[in-house]
Amino acid sequence: MSFSNETDAATAGAEYPLLDRVRIPADLQRLTESELPKLADELRGFLVNTVSRTGGHLAAGLGVVELTIALHRVFDTPHDRFVWDVGHQAYPHKILTGRRDRMHTLRQKGGLSGFPRRAESIYDAFGAGHSSTSISAALGMAAAAKQKGEKRQVVAIIGDGAMGGGMAFEAMNHAGALDLDLLVILNDNDMSISNPVGAFSNYLARLLSGKLYTRVRRGGMNTFGQIPGVGELMGRAEEHMKGMVMPSTLFEELGFNYIGPIDGHDMPTLVRTLRNMKDMQGPRLLHVVTQKGRGYEPAEGDPCVYHGVTPFNPDTGKMEKKKGGATYTQVFGDWLCDAAEKDDRLVAITPAMCEGSGMVRFAKEFPHRFFDVGIAEQHALTFAAGMACEGLKPVVAIYSTFLQRGFDQLAHDISLQNLDVTLAVDRAGLVGQDGATHAGSFDLSYVRILPNMVIMAPADENESRRMLQTAYEYEGPALVRYPRGVGPGALVEDAPSTLPLGKGQWLRRGRRVALLAFGSRLAAALEVGEELDLSVANMRFVKPLDEALVLQLADGHDLLVTIEENAVQGGAGSAVNECLARAHRVVPILNLGLPDRYIGHGSPAEQMRECGLDADGIRRAVTDVIGDTGKAAKTA
């Protein structure tokens, strides 16, 4: 298959004749069954061309092209509800639901989201970005339909990785008890059960989902189920019959009628099986096996690399190189390996983010000290707590947005017991094109309220490494939060490998106004400080706060300005406000941070500008309060 990088998304009709006829899902009904495989080829080609320009999630979407077409062919959306787990799989769904002409805006400011979003389309029944939520949401929709007396189908499409999240099994356990009409599609793209997939397995799935088998099963149970011993015997016989050809009876035990596995790229089998299952009642699960990256050779060869991509050449698969030096993530990965060399008590834990958190090298060099617990953030934290109880020194690498999912475990299992756990919190603050679902906007606010916690925010990559070492050597729970991507380089002088606990730096002495920067916005603060002749402090610690420095700055300035890449409510600025109130200091203070709304996707620079956290925004905020006198004083 060849893909042209010159094709424009809005004028691709000549290259995609079938796809050009499908503007909304209802248009699929005008195609013949024999045209659907060709449509899948065109959709796959269009997807590669689009994502090659915008970047985004590629391999997962390529794997569900046939499944997406079959679902929209069989079901009546938006009346029927599709709930896509995480959303990595949803690009083909977007293309088939009226958004094809806007796919070139994917993940750009004002453009399409990289995830399902209710405000974007009536076909997006539920917004997603975090995993393992689809079954819960779909079950809620099914329960609501029953309450309202509405007849509709509800389908949750969940990947095998997300199925490992505990929330998915909580929802399935509840679904079995409610006996609502719910269809769960388990998209197994790990190919771990590829052997059963074939003609016989597909035939068996169609047989077990067909009306004859369903009628016989229900009729037999109704007739003989009340006879002592006979109903149990029939149930065992059916279980053993299925067990001979099915990979597991786990889902049956949870109350689901399990069908599969079937080949997720066999369009006729998908359509026929889905039609059969549409007519069935109660909770049912269809297990499909797909190939991640299907139809695009580079993604087939390395689906992990092509899971999330930067813009690339669609003919060769070669991606654009990221500019700049080592990222904060790489700094963490290097520190982790160096620290492990010196201390054999160090163990590293991640909830399914080995690559994203920079732990690939550690996993290779220290395989017996590396624990990927899967998509299970709550378990990751309590697992770390258990290790700390036994004298090990666990380091948990986790994205800020995912740490939210383990707040209770952080509070109850780690903080309350004052356990020696180091948290390396990546993607703190805004994250660019991934948007609000993945932004780390709240960690300072929700972690700062917990007793015993130490919280640090580095201003540059060098300081990040020193803070990680400081957190590791601290005998208690400590957190270092750092942003996505490359930092500003070294802003502060080099120093010993650790930092004095709870001490900031007064970096620049100026007039009238003091800028108190917490973490990533120090470079912008220094730029404004130089221009307007303002004092600038690198606060470093959010908890314990350097209260002595705060009071010193308050006594010598007319205005304090706190700057952080976190929600203003409850964040670092709030800590400064509380400090001043306790000391009965009355001084004007301006808190700059993320506003009280979710920030949409866009480039990092666009997001900072929108929030007023770039140098221009900080300058405007200061001069709005003090006027231009600061700048005039310096130039005089």
Side-chain angles (χ1 to χ4, degrees), residues 422-452:
T422 298
L423 293 114
V425 179
D426 203 338
R427 271 67 165 180
L430 301 175
V431 293
Q433 289 83 355
D434 281 340
T437 60
H438 282 59
S441 305
F442 311 112
D443 56 79
L444 292 185
S445 301
Y446 66 76
V447 178
R448 193 175 71 82
I449 63 176
L450 299 177
N452 298 323

Side-chain angles (χ1 to χ4, degrees), residues 221-536:
M221 284 297 183
N222 290 337
T223 303
F224 300 108
Q226 304 305 316
I227 302 176
V230 175
E232 181 181 355
L233 180 62
M234 289 184 65
R236 286 184 193 169
E238 181 186 37
E239 181 178 333
H240 287 307
M241 181 184 74
K242 285 190 175 184
M244 288 188 293
V245 290
M246 299 298 166
S248 174
T249 58
L250 170 63
F251 299 114
E252 295 276 2
E253 294 293 335
L254 288 170
F256 278 72
N257 193 350
Y258 171 90
I259 304 297
I262 66 172
D263 184 347
H265 303 295
D266 184 337
M267 188 76 77
T269 294
L270 278 171
V271 171
R272 287 196 295 271
T273 304
L274 285 170
R275 280 180 177 154
N276 287 336
M277 298 191 76
K278 181 180 179 180
D279 295 333
M280 297 168 65
Q281 295 179 336
R284 58 258 194 226
L285 184 141
L286 175 61
H287 187 169
V288 301
V289 176
T290 62
Q291 180 184 15
K292 200 171 183 180
R294 175 83 169 196
Y296 184 55
E297 187 175 345
E300 287 182 353
D302 199 338
C304 183
V305 168
Y306 285 86
H307 169 74
V309 297
T310 57
F312 62 94
N313 184 320
D315 293 318
T316 64
K318 188 175 182 180
M319 295 186 208
E320 294 179 1
K321 289 186 177 180
K322 295 181 179 179
K323 299 177 181 178
T327 64
Y328 281 98
T329 302
Q330 291 168 330
V331 169
F332 164 72
D334 290 342
W335 168 82
L336 188 66
C337 291
D338 292 345
E341 287 280 2
K342 299 174 183 175
D343 189 347
D344 59 11
R345 296 174 299 166
L346 185 151
V347 289
I349 301 165
T350 180
M353 294 304 298
C354 177
E355 291 83 7
S357 294
M359 305 174 80
V360 173
R361 178 185 155 205
F362 182 92
K364 291 180 179 178
E365 294 183 8
F366 305 94
H368 300 298
R369 295 158 66 182
F370 172 71
F371 299 90
D372 186 341
V373 303
I375 302 175
E377 295 87 357
Q378 295 172 322
H379 166 61
L381 293 176
T382 305
F383 179 65
M387 286 186 150
C389 286
E390 299 301 319
L392 295 182
K393 289 183 67 67
V395 177
V396 180
I398 189 168
Y399 287 9
S400 172
T401 187
F402 300 146
L403 181 60
Q404 295 166 187
R405 312 187 86 185
F407 175 76
D408 180 66
Q409 288 68 32
L410 181 60
H412 184 271
D413 300 333
I414 295 177
S415 170
L416 177 61
Q417 302 186 91
N418 199 24
L419 292 174
D420 190 1
V421 176
T422 298
L423 293 114
V425 179
D426 203 338
R427 271 67 165 180
L430 301 175
V431 293
Q433 289 83 355
D434 281 340
T437 60
H438 282 59
S441 305
F442 311 112
D443 56 79
L444 292 185
S445 301
Y446 66 76
V447 178
R448 193 175 71 82
I449 63 176
L450 299 177
N452 298 323
M453 293 295 305
V454 168
I455 307 170
M456 291 171 267
D460 60 37
E461 299 91 327
N462 172 58
E463 193 167 70
S464 181
R465 183 180 177 100
R466 294 163 64 196
M467 285 184 177
L468 287 164
Q469 188 63 32
T470 303
Y472 184 75
E473 294 186 16
Y474 175 73
E475 294 182 358
L479 180 152
V480 180
R481 55 110 64 180
Y482 44 90
R484 182 179 191 173
V486 178
L491 295 174
V492 294
E493 74 276 5
D494 201 358
S497 60
T498 59
L499 300 171
L501 196 67
K503 296 298 181 184
Q505 289 179 302
W506 190 341
L507 290 179
R508 188 184 191 283
R509 295 180 182 268
R511 304 173 65 252
R512 296 195 60 191
V513 178
L515 305 181
L516 286 68
F518 291 85
S520 62
R521 306 319 300 156
L522 178 63
L526 283 169
E527 180 181 335
V528 176
E530 285 292 328
E531 181 181 347
L532 301 181
D533 192 21
L534 312 179
S535 291
V536 180

Side-chain angles (χ1 to χ4, degrees), residues 36-323:
L36 297 183
K38 174 60 177 172
L39 175 66
D41 289 340
E42 292 183 13
L43 178 54
R44 195 166 266 119
F46 182 85
L47 180 61
V48 171
N49 268 320
T50 299
V51 179
S52 73
R53 293 191 295 274
T54 64
H57 294 98
L58 179 64
L62 290 172
V64 296
V65 166
E66 287 84 2
L67 176 60
T68 305
I69 293 172
L71 282 167
H72 279 296
R73 172 84 168 193
V74 171
F75 293 92
D76 178 23
T77 55
H79 175 74
D80 293 332
R81 312 295 201 216
F82 290 172
V83 182
W84 297 87
D85 210 282
V86 184
H88 298 156
Q89 314 169 78
Y91 290 8
H93 164 79
K94 287 177 181 274
I95 294 168
L96 295 178
T97 53
R99 287 169 277 183
R100 175 188 163 191
D101 291 345
R102 296 187 62 211
M103 286 297 290
H104 66 284
T105 71
L106 188 70
R107 303 171 77 244
Q108 299 172 40
K109 187 172 179 60
L112 295 179
S113 169
F115 301 94
R117 187 167 178 258
R118 282 172 55 82
E120 184 178 290
S121 171
I122 59 174
Y123 293 96
D124 288 358
F126 195 76
H130 294 184
S131 78
S132 312
T133 62
S134 60
I135 303 175
S136 295
L139 183 62
M141 293 175 185
K146 184 177 181 180
Q147 284 284 105
K148 296 163 65 178
E150 296 174 348
K151 186 66 176 176
R152 63 164 45 94
Q153 299 286 331
V154 184
V155 183
I157 305 100
I158 184 169
D160 53 353
M163 185 62 88
M167 187 175 174
F169 281 94
E170 291 175 12
M172 294 193 72
N173 183 58
H174 190 203
L178 292 180
D179 197 32
L180 294 168
D181 291 340
L182 171 69
L183 173 59
V184 175
I185 309 288
L186 172 57
N187 172 31
D188 183 348
N189 59 25
D190 194 36
M191 301 305 288
S192 59
I193 53 157
S194 57
N195 290 335
V197 177
F200 179 68
S201 180
N202 288 341
Y203 165 74
L204 200 59
R206 291 197 302 271
L207 175 68
L208 293 177
S209 67
K211 293 180 180 179
L212 176 61
Y213 176 82
T214 301
R215 283 200 300 268
V216 170
R217 182 179 185 272
R218 287 185 179 273
M221 284 297 183
N222 290 337
T223 303
F224 300 108
Q226 304 305 316
I227 302 176
V230 175
E232 181 181 355
L233 180 62
M234 289 184 65
R236 286 184 193 169
E238 181 186 37
E239 181 178 333
H240 287 307
M241 181 184 74
K242 285 190 175 184
M244 288 188 293
V245 290
M246 299 298 166
S248 174
T249 58
L250 170 63
F251 299 114
E252 295 276 2
E253 294 293 335
L254 288 170
F256 278 72
N257 193 350
Y258 171 90
I259 304 297
I262 66 172
D263 184 347
H265 303 295
D266 184 337
M267 188 76 77
T269 294
L270 278 171
V271 171
R272 287 196 295 271
T273 304
L274 285 170
R275 280 180 177 154
N276 287 336
M277 298 191 76
K278 181 180 179 180
D279 295 333
M280 297 168 65
Q281 295 179 336
R284 58 258 194 226
L285 184 141
L286 175 61
H287 187 169
V288 301
V289 176
T290 62
Q291 180 184 15
K292 200 171 183 180
R294 175 83 169 196
Y296 184 55
E297 187 175 345
E300 287 182 353
D302 199 338
C304 183
V305 168
Y306 285 86
H307 169 74
V309 297
T310 57
F312 62 94
N313 184 320
D315 293 318
T316 64
K318 188 175 182 180
M319 295 186 208
E320 294 179 1
K321 289 186 177 180
K322 295 181 179 179
K323 299 177 181 178

Side-chain angles (χ1 to χ4, degrees), residues 579-635:
C579 169
L580 294 172
R582 282 193 302 272
H584 305 291
R585 293 291 209 285
V586 179
V587 59
I589 186 164
L590 177 62
N591 300 135
L592 301 182
L594 303 182
D596 188 22
R597 66 178 186 273
Y598 291 99
I599 305 302
H601 49 277
S603 71
E606 289 171 332
Q607 290 182 322
M608 289 298 167
R609 186 160 54 247
E610 178 182 343
C611 296
L613 291 177
D614 60 351
D616 287 340
I618 296 170
R619 184 185 305 108
R620 282 194 304 271
V622 172
T623 55
D624 282 348
V625 177
I626 67 169
D628 293 325
T629 55
K631 184 175 182 179
K634 184 182 180 186
T635 55

